[in-house]
Amino acid sequence: MFHAASLPRGAPSHAYPWLMSKETVGGSTECVTRFAPSPTGHLHIGGARSALFCWAYAKRMGGRFMLRIEDTDAARSSDESARGIMEDLAWLGIEWDDGPSLSLRDGRVVGAHARDVGGYFQARRVPLYNRFIEQLVKAGRAYPAFESNEEIEAQRKLAVAAKQTYRYPRPAEIEFAVFNAALESRWKRACAGESHVIRFAAPREEVVVPDQVLGDVKIAAGELDDFVIRKADGFPTYHFAVVIDDQTMGVTHVMRAQEHLANTPRHVALQRALRDEKTGAPFRTPGYAHMPLIFNMDGSKMSKRDKAKFARKAAKDAIAKDAPARERIIAGTGLPEKSISDFLAGDTDAVEIAEKVGRFMGLTLPEVEVHDFRANGYIPAAIINFLALLGWNPGMKTADGKDLEKFDMKFIAEHFSIERIGRTNAKFDRAKLLSFNADAIGAMSDAEFAGLWRVWCEEFEPPFAKVVPGDGWETLGRAVKARAKTFRDAVKASAFLMLDDNTYPFDPAAVAKNLTAADGAGLAMVRAVRERLAGLDPFDAGLIHSILEQLAQHSGGMGAVAQPIRVALTGSAVSPPLGETLAVLGKARTLTRLDRCLRLLSV
RNA sequence: GGCCCCGUCGUCUAGCCUGGUUCAGGACACCACCCUUUCACGGUGGGUACAUGGGUUCGAAUCCCAUCGGGGUCACCA
């Protein structure tokens, strides 16, 4: 027997001639990949990686990347979700050639030149699915089944109780691949409107999934049961819609997470049973590539519930340390007492509650959706680079012999290959992402950083954006850029700006060390600096800096000058460089603060 | 539990296909030192890994087998 595992990875399987796809490099058919999310929420970071890999492969092969919305779950799908997913993809820079169109802020339209394939929302393609359902029934490869969901569920429970795998038993009257009288009668009942589902008559032979990452994956005969391909509500199931669409939309390569691997035999079996409406030829089996899964550092799945877990733990810790904290949280979030107690008890993982608690407590909740990363100040380029490395590696070295791991989408589009996708599940290391983001920020010019940071602040930190003087962004940005791994960090580093000039508190330790020690030497320095600053015009970072330097020459170093000023100005011993800090604060606010400090602390 | 996938530093990984050049290289994180007006940035250095056990071979992280471990999946959700 042919041993697939001995094949080089990525090689086509010669054991199954129908798989010999013509859709290879240089062939007449161009490569088409697709990302097919179901619009039931935001774009998950793992989904973003799937989309990126699909995009990358299509670009590398000079083909097309398609976005298809799998909204066959009428109850859970929503248009808002679909739009949100598209916006997240566009924000990351993953743009689709084919798919619904989306207008960007800059006026461009993604998907403007999409091929006409009859719609990219599955819910609008139902008549197409139904034609193929009928084809399958007439061929004796699918049949209506009339059991209710409850009946099936009861039987499944029985099987589970007996520690057996439940498989729907094919009715004795159904003959494989024959449209017999019994089937015809069932079909008539179904067409007459009797409630039913359509089940696929699965083959009773081994099914092979040709996977370009894992090699051929064989599923023994009898593992597949007669699964449902059309639900009672008339919508196709995922398995059916995906096969019909991939065929009719010309998809040549299916790349998705490994959690789908176990479903793939169903798809392959379906493909072998279905015929093209025009040519009568069997459906193509696309090239499959299942990529490794992404987990949290502790091995759990990355899920929205992580936010609730994180916020709950922080809240519980705070309450354990200080019982009244509970009341403060209730008051501070404006949430009903019941919501908070349910939340703390773990009865609900509602994201809205988690986010309110998180905001009130000043927590940064773990990001799991693309939008979370965006809201927390991450840069698309850093996310893309990091994601690309999760399960793929270019296997190249830099000029100085290190592993190449910093690259952009252009590089990915030029070098991506399925052969270099790994097979091992990966853990999502936020620390490394953060480091990538810091590097991306560090690589920006001051002007570039200031511009992007400002736009971000205006959307996600409006109160802060308001206190930054219009002409102060670049000066401030220059001062905090190196201190920020994210845009939000840069806001934190600029916290001094948000302080109320007349009420901000002083850190006693910092005061003792830098102001009142040595008979108030620090205070004397504050006084001296205040005198010089009072007459300064313009109040410019460079000029301020040189004044401080002059002072430093006569008083034993910069430390003796800078630290007292820092404490006087911000209440703490930590701040960005003083020139920029004072300049952005402005002369009036600076003098107000220095005067207040002198007034409060002088003896 | 059945079926399937996977197993190199704490994490992402290079190396594995084409066994020796590897007492295993890089990055992030961590620690130490240097730089320094604080905090950062930056620089230098350091520790930590081939899951285990059997083979094959002169020689195995690399090939084979077993065990153990991790994960996925078993829906009228995708």
Side-chain angles (χ1 to χ4, degrees):
Chain A
M1 178 61 194
F2 172 81
H3 196 46
S6 64
L7 279 173
R9 295 178 55 209
S13 167
H14 299 284
Y16 307 94
W18 79 87
L19 299 175
M20 295 293 287
S21 81
K22 298 151 215 75
E23 294 79 19
T24 45
V25 215
S28 55
T29 315
E30 74 178 340
C31 165
V32 178
T33 62
R34 70 357 183 233
F35 175 59
S38 74
T40 54
H42 293 282
L43 177 60
H44 189 276
I45 193 70
R49 188 198 54 165
S50 294
L52 173 63
F53 282 26
C54 289
W55 174 89
Y57 190 64
K59 294 300 120 180
R60 170 73 201 287
M61 302 299 280
R64 303 178 75 85
F65 169 60
M66 177 197 300
L67 175 66
R68 181 174 70 219
I69 307 296
E70 309 221 330
D71 54 352
T72 55
D73 184 341
R76 296 199 302 152
S77 298
S78 77
D79 289 346
E80 304 92 273
S81 167
R83 199 184 55 240
I85 288 170
M86 289 191 267
E87 281 170 356
D88 289 341
L89 284 172
W91 178 72
L92 285 170
I94 302 172
E95 300 187 0
W96 51 99
D97 303 297
D98 295 324
S101 58
L102 174 75
S103 301
L104 267 28
R105 303 135 291 270
D106 63 10
R108 281 187 313 120
V109 177
V110 182
H113 306 290
R115 293 173 299 146
D116 178 14
V117 294
Y120 290 95
F121 286 81
Q122 290 184 328
R124 296 181 203 157
R125 296 165 60 84
V126 171
L128 174 72
Y129 304 127
N130 284 337
R131 290 209 302 276
F132 283 104
I133 288 282
E134 182 165 358
Q135 180 196 96
L136 241 25
V137 171
K138 293 286 164 65
R141 289 303 306 275
Y143 56 89
F146 302 96
E147 295 87 353
S148 71
N149 202 4
E150 292 70 33
E151 287 174 82
I152 298 289
E153 213 42 62
Q155 288 178 33
R156 176 174 292 117
K157 281 208 176 99
L158 242 44
V160 170
K163 298 205 180 223
Q164 306 231 287
T165 303
Y166 175 78
R167 292 196 180 85
Y168 180 83
R170 182 178 304 165
E173 66 194 51
I174 298 298
E175 216 178 323
F176 186 78
V178 178
F179 187 67
N180 61 18
L183 178 49
E184 183 168 11
S185 134
R186 281 175 176 247
W187 183 239
K188 278 185 177 148
R189 284 167 67 193
C191 291
E194 189 172 340
S195 176
H196 70 286
V197 299
I198 301 290
R199 287 180 180 272
F200 175 62
R204 296 288 159 81
E205 59 200 39
E206 183 184 72
V207 177
V208 177
V209 176
D211 190 284
Q212 298 183 10
V213 171
L214 303 170
D216 287 358
V217 177
K218 296 170 189 166
I219 280 71
E223 283 298 319
L224 289 186
D225 74 347
D226 289 357
F227 56 94
V228 173
I229 56 178
R230 188 174 74 189
K231 299 178 268 187
D233 65 5
F235 280 106
T237 59
Y238 159 73
H239 301 302
F240 193 67
V242 96
V243 166
I244 300 297
D245 286 345
D246 286 345
Q247 169 73 200
T248 58
M249 295 175 168
V251 172
T252 61
H253 294 266
V254 173
M255 307 174 66
R256 44 163 48 156
Q258 259 179 41
E259 66 196 73
H260 289 285
L261 180 60
N263 290 144
T264 312
R266 298 175 207 277
H267 304 168
V268 173
L270 240 16
Q271 283 149 191
R272 301 209 62 200
L274 260 351
R275 296 287 177 271
D276 182 278
E277 289 185 304
K278 287 193 189 102
T279 66
F283 276 23
R284 294 167 291 105
T285 286
Y288 284 107
H290 287 94
M291 43 195 141
L293 269 13
I294 303 174
F295 295 98
N296 284 314
M297 290 299 274
D298 66 1
S300 63
K301 273 191 179 177
M302 287 182 80
S303 113
K304 284 174 264 209
R305 310 180 66 171
D306 295 345
K307 295 185 205 175
K309 280 186 207 152
F310 187 89
R312 180 179 299 123
K313 184 173 186 310
K316 280 183 156 175
D317 287 352
I319 293 168
K321 204 177 291 175
D322 176 34
R326 184 193 168 90
E327 298 311 314
R328 286 201 297 276
I329 291 172
I330 292 170
T333 54
L335 253 17
E337 205 277 328
K338 171 115 175 49
S339 298
I340 295 292
S341 53
D342 285 354
F343 181 72
L344 291 173
D347 292 342
T348 172
D349 283 336
V351 176
E352 310 79 66
I353 300 180
E355 280 173 351
K356 280 188 177 165
V357 171
R359 195 170 313 133
F360 173 67
M361 297 183 68
L363 308 171
T364 299
L365 265 26
E367 306 90 356
V368 321
E369 289 155 344
V370 169
H371 186 264
D372 300 332
F373 291 95
R374 181 178 175 193
N376 282 342
Y378 286 82
I379 314 295
I383 297 174
I384 289 285
N385 192 165
F386 179 73
L387 245 27
L389 249 9
L390 236 40
W392 180 76
N393 189 292
M396 295 180 188
K397 301 285 183 191
T398 59
D400 54 349
K402 298 182 171 181
D403 289 4
L404 177 68
E405 59 172 22
K406 290 301 176 68
F407 42 74
D408 59 11
M409 289 187 84
K410 181 169 178 289
F411 175 90
I412 299 170
E414 284 167 1
H415 297 279
F416 186 82
S417 66
I418 291 180
E419 299 87 82
R420 295 204 62 88
I421 295 179
R423 314 179 212 49
T424 318
N425 290 163
K427 290 180 179 165
F428 194 91
D429 186 353
R430 293 166 193 284
K432 184 154 182 168
L433 201 215
L434 219 36
S435 160
F436 273 40
N437 206 65
D439 287 348
I441 284 178
M444 293 178 190
S445 69
D446 290 341
E448 191 182 1
F449 173 76
L452 292 171
W453 183 41
R454 178 178 191 168
V455 169
W456 181 86
C457 286
E458 280 162 356
E459 182 169 2
F460 296 103
E461 289 283 357
F464 174 75
K466 282 196 196 83
V467 301
V468 180
D471 58 0
W473 287 95
E474 193 160 338
T475 303
L476 220 211
R478 192 195 320 139
V480 299
K481 201 175 81 165
R483 266 143 268 260
K485 290 181 192 296
T486 64
F487 284 147
R488 193 179 294 293
D489 282 350
V491 173
K492 283 185 190 152
S494 310
F496 69 90
L497 251 188
M498 295 287 279
L499 298 174
D500 182 289
D501 296 340
N502 298 302
T503 58
Y504 64 90
F506 289 91
D507 169 15
V511 168
K513 182 175 178 194
N514 299 297
L515 291 175
T516 54
D519 278 340
L523 285 169
M525 181 59 72
V526 171
R527 220 167 273 125
V529 171
R530 194 236 178 268
E531 293 315 311
R532 309 258 185 136
L533 255 24
L536 188 64
D537 188 56
F539 206 64
D540 164 86
L543 293 178
I544 294 167
H545 184 250
S546 48
I547 284 181
L548 296 181
E549 267 189 332
Q550 283 167 28
L551 247 17
Q553 290 190 348
H554 306 293
S555 42
M558 200 54 151
V561 179
Q563 286 310 88
I565 301 302
R566 224 183 296 273
V567 177
L569 220 52
T570 70
S572 89
V574 178
S575 90
L578 288 178
E580 284 79 8
T581 298
L582 301 225
V584 172
L585 210 45
K587 190 197 259 187
R589 294 187 73 188
T590 297
L591 295 183
T592 303
R593 289 187 181 197
L594 294 183
D595 288 341
R596 171 171 174 258
C597 169
L598 257 11
R599 197 175 344 114
L600 290 178
L601 299 175
S602 292
V603 262

